[in-house]
Amino acid sequence: MLGDPEPNLEDALQLQLQGTVSNIRWISESDMLVSTRQTLYEVHVTASRFQSTQIPLQPAPKITAATLAPQNTPTSKQYMVLGDENGVLRVFQRAEGLQTWTLTLEAPKWHAKYGISSLRLWQGQIVSTGRDCYVKMFTLGDGIRITN
């Protein structure tokens, strides 16, 4: 007998989050977004365990693009930008030392109704591409400046 097989990542997440995992998207080397049918989580992965934080967005949309954008300001806010299959762009903000995310911007039809295919941080700006064939750029900060 060789012993019990090690659980795969999805099985381990299902046990911890107590729900069926419908979507996993890596947003950094050690952080991922995990959607269950009802809830969206940010999960920090270390060699020995998972630490999950619920994101206040229910029901959880199918996330098709995501990125983390650290902000180099005296307030040291971090931003998480999410795009979904319906073209909705959402920006969440977290202050240094806090574990909770706050929704600061929701832009329906950012890429029409066709979905956001990628989000990238480039030279201090967020670049989004969508299935509507547009590329849009914006800057995060105290106010969001949009450059199409």
Side-chain angles (χ1 to χ4, degrees):
M1 191 163 161
L2 298 174
D4 293 332
E6 290 191 25
N8 66 27
L9 179 62
E10 187 172 332
D11 291 341
L13 286 169
Q14 286 180 9
L15 288 173
Q16 179 170 343
L17 302 178
Q18 300 176 355
T20 302
V21 172
S22 60
N23 191 8
I24 298 173
R25 177 152 311 266
W26 287 95
I27 54 177
S28 73
E29 289 181 8
S30 60
D31 293 293
M32 69 177 99
L33 292 174
V34 178
S35 299
T36 64
R37 287 189 180 137
Q38 297 298 320
T39 310
L40 183 63
Y41 296 92
E42 175 198 19
V43 178
H44 180 73
V45 181
T46 63
S48 60
R49 67 185 190 102
F50 300 114
Q51 177 184 353
S52 62
T53 304
Q54 185 173 341
I55 297 172
L57 189 60
Q58 293 182 352
K62 183 175 179 189
I63 301 300
T64 56
T67 190
L68 288 177
Q71 185 69 21
N72 299 323
T73 64
T75 58
S76 297
K77 295 175 184 170
Q78 183 180 31
Y79 293 92
M80 178 172 50
V81 184
L82 307 177
D84 71 20
E85 66 184 350
N86 297 317
V88 179
L89 180 87
R90 293 178 180 90
V91 178
F92 290 85
Q93 179 179 307
R94 176 168 64 189
E96 184 177 354
L98 297 178
Q99 293 299 317
T100 58
W101 290 100
T102 304
L103 181 64
T104 58
L105 173 73
E106 185 170 50
K109 299 183 182 178
W110 180 256
H111 279 285
K113 61 180 180 181
Y114 303 108
I116 296 173
S117 54
S118 74
L119 290 164
R120 298 284 184 264
L121 184 61
W122 179 71
Q123 295 183 354
Q125 293 194 331
I126 301 292
V127 179
S128 68
T129 58
R131 292 180 49 209
D132 59 358
C133 299
Y134 284 96
V135 175
K136 297 184 177 186
M137 299 173 69
F138 60 98
T139 304
L140 296 170
D142 292 333
I144 294 177
R145 190 179 77 235
I146 299 170
T147 309
N148 286 332

